[in-house]
Amino acid sequence: MQDLPKGLMQDWSMTIDKVLDHALAVYPYQEIVTRSVAGPIVRKTYAEVHADSRRVSEALLANGIKPGEVVGTLAWNSEMHIETWYGAMGLGMVLHTLNPRLFPEQIAWIANHGEDRAIFFDTTFMPIIEGIAPHLPNVKLFVVYGDDSVIPADTKIPNLKSYESFISGCSGQSVKWGDFEENTACGLCYTSGTTGNPKGVLYSHRSNFLMTLLSMQSGALGISDKDVVLPVVPMFHANAWGLAFSGPASGAKLVMPGARMDGEAIYELLDSEKVTVSAAVPTVWQMLLEYLRKEDKKLPHLNAVAIGGAATPEGLLRAFEEDYDVEVFPAWGMTETSPLGSVSKLPVPLQGLPDEEKMFHKLKQGRPPFGVELDVVGPDGKSLPRDGKSTGHLMVRGPAVAKAYVKIDKDILDDRDFFDTGDVGNIDEYGQMHITDRSKDVIKSGGEWISSIELENIAASHPKVAMAAAIGIAHPKWDERPLLIVKKAEEVSKEEIYTFFEGKIAKWWTPDDIAFVDDIPLGATGKINKLALRETFKDFELPDAG
Ligand code: AMP
């Protein structure tokens, strides 16, 4: 970089403790409401959460955990989990969210790889911790959320304390937050790792701070102190899409669902707390809609839902908008992008389009907020035209995008410092990005690409189909041809599904066969587990492949 004169502005280190300090200064009355794992609803103000976060800091130091060391959590979304985040991050410790949906051996591997020194967890996960504790030699402290009554008398977990006794006796008064450089490590999250070992993404205070600001733009999630926000998306899944930061930063009331994410439980919170904005993966919303239909309930308070982690099916978007008057914002992101990368809100010039065309644009993954750059490149690494058609590898660049993985000595950026997302898609003249596949899931037929996601979305919008997955099956002539795997919602024939595809896709995209299954396996973040499906169907013979 060139050496030019410096501006004369303050060096105000962008550290994440300032988020909760801001909430205390400006929204001390605002609440975080949690459905506790034990059942009852717990209410705390931001002022109380701030005070208890400082008590956590004091207790961590008193128990020998030092700034720079890693504090793990295996926990649902709750006010205590938030306090642990800020209590650790505020001191310059690294908060490592562990995903309880992984196998215990994987959790132990990740905690060891991350060098966790302490682990906080919910009672739900007591059996997991009991099983893995002997394999976690670096962990000096275990804290279970609750009071002493949640600790079994015969527990084998060493150095186990209850959260209440851990912070009792601490006032938090003496604690000093911040006062370190903004590029200091702040949070750690491992990608779900469908192939090979999971990879650690190490966020900095600066990256989380900037992600907080950029996610609050109106073109992104745009929440404010008028909102009541229910993050169903777990804090262990890419920082709950930043809501544990943007909630307090914007003064929104947060409603934390704890361990229950079924349709009934989510509906109850949406209704009783008058939630205005919520965020979750499509499967959660499908469960909610099933419940609403069965019980004939409405959603009078809810204004908008963000749907991310996987493509938004058209049926889901239509049900929310047409039956419940709730706006839908499909959103794309990944652990490596902190996570928000784009949000789909219809560009102004497209708002007058006929319904069908509007739907096509709304279902795209959307436009990046200011602070995220997207590009689509061809096999030669050169940018493709922004015409909504030229499809290639989706690349991303920005101050909240990973430049390396923890302890992996490999350059993951291209020569322009863009990160290859592993997604395949295109960008149109309005900057709207559309993902057509994962690069490893795309079905390569005769040198051309068939989008597995598009086949899945069309099949899943058939009223008699509960869920659908498309995978490529080896073919002697075409390399690969699509097989559609369907979980029925009610009795449906192959012919009915084939008829449904007619006119919606090019003829050569039509699946060569359809297999019906009782269940489609999901991975640890609720997405279809294609790896498992490929294994199950590895010897499948397509009708004309012989
Ligand atoms: P993770 O790091 O577990 O959050 O996974 C990130 C990946 O999820 C992305 O690279 C995409 O493949 C997928 N993904 C996330 N959001 C969307 C979306 N809105 N549409 C399609 N795929 C998505």
Side-chain angles (χ1 to χ4, degrees), residues 196-412:
N197 280 330
K199 298 192 278 291
V201 177
L202 188 59
Y203 307 108
S204 64
H205 280 262
R206 180 175 191 270
S207 70
N208 279 340
F209 197 105
L210 290 172
M211 174 50 56
T212 305
L213 290 179
L214 71 83
S215 74
M216 283 156 60
Q217 295 169 41
S218 69
L221 297 179
I223 56 170
S224 78
D225 63 340
K226 296 189 192 69
D227 282 308
V228 180
V229 179
L230 172 61
V232 187
V233 52
M235 290 163 73
F236 57 76
H237 186 194
N239 289 336
W241 302 349
L243 290 166
F245 299 127
S246 54
S250 66
K253 170 173 154 182
L254 283 181
V255 181
M256 304 302 246
R260 284 195 55 200
M261 277 162 272
D262 56 289
E264 181 183 18
I266 295 301
Y267 169 76
E268 276 174 15
L269 288 178
L270 291 175
D271 193 57
S272 61
E273 298 301 325
K274 300 190 169 57
V275 171
T276 61
V277 180
S278 186
V281 294
T283 35
V284 166
W285 297 127
Q286 306 281 18
M287 287 194 292
L288 174 72
L289 289 179
E290 266 171 46
Y291 175 81
L292 296 176
R293 288 184 190 123
K294 198 163 87 228
E295 301 293 324
D296 199 20
K297 304 278 193 202
K298 292 287 171 209
L299 297 170
H301 312 292
L302 193 62
N303 297 328
V305 291
I307 305 184
T312 302
E314 178 173 346
L316 187 61
L317 192 149
R318 282 196 185 274
F320 267 121
E321 298 206 345
E322 293 167 11
D323 302 343
Y324 299 97
D325 199 21
V326 172
E327 222 177 320
V328 171
F329 304 129
W332 167 85
M334 46 197 319
T335 308
E336 289 89 335
T337 62
S338 295
L340 205 63
S342 68
V343 179
S344 182
K345 296 192 174 178
L346 202 62
V348 175
L350 302 178
Q351 284 173 358
L353 289 177
D355 180 72
E356 271 304 314
E357 284 177 54
K358 266 207 290 214
M359 186 56 65
F360 170 72
H361 288 283
K362 274 191 199 175
L363 286 170
K364 292 187 177 190
Q365 277 65 23
R367 291 182 288 184
F370 173 63
V372 177
E373 283 183 84
L374 296 180
D375 195 20
V376 166
V377 301
D380 56 359
K382 296 235 162 58
S383 299
L384 294 175
R386 296 187 166 227
D387 56 7
K389 290 197 233 23
S390 305
T391 296
H393 300 281
L394 177 67
M395 313 293 288
V396 61
R397 180 167 78 171
V401 178
K403 65 177 175 190
Y405 292 110
V406 173
K407 298 182 190 164
I408 299 182
D409 188 17
K410 186 172 165 232
D411 193 5
I412 59 169

Side-chain angles (χ1 to χ4, degrees), residues 458-459 462 465 484 486 488 492-502 511 514 516:
I458 294 172
H462 191 293
V465 170
L484 187 73
V486 168
K488 298 176 187 175
V492 61
S493 67
K494 288 187 186 181
E495 288 65 37
E496 281 175 273
I497 296 175
Y498 277 126
T499 312
F500 193 69
F501 271 111
E502 273 169 28
I514 299 175
F516 293 105

Side-chain angles (χ1 to χ4, degrees), residues 194-195 436-438 440-443 450-457 468-472 483 485 520-523 527-538:
T194 38
T195 49
T436 54
D437 227 323
R438 285 295 289 169
K440 58 185 187 304
D441 294 340
V442 85
I443 299 162
I450 299 175
S451 157
S452 66
I453 293 185
E454 199 158 333
L455 297 181
E456 286 160 8
N457 285 346
I471 56 171
L483 167 71
I485 299 158
I520 290 184
L522 299 180
K527 295 173 208 185
I528 293 175
N529 187 343
K530 296 249 171 122
L531 207 67
L533 282 177
R534 277 193 207 103
E535 183 56 31
T536 309
F537 287 92
K538 68 177 188 303

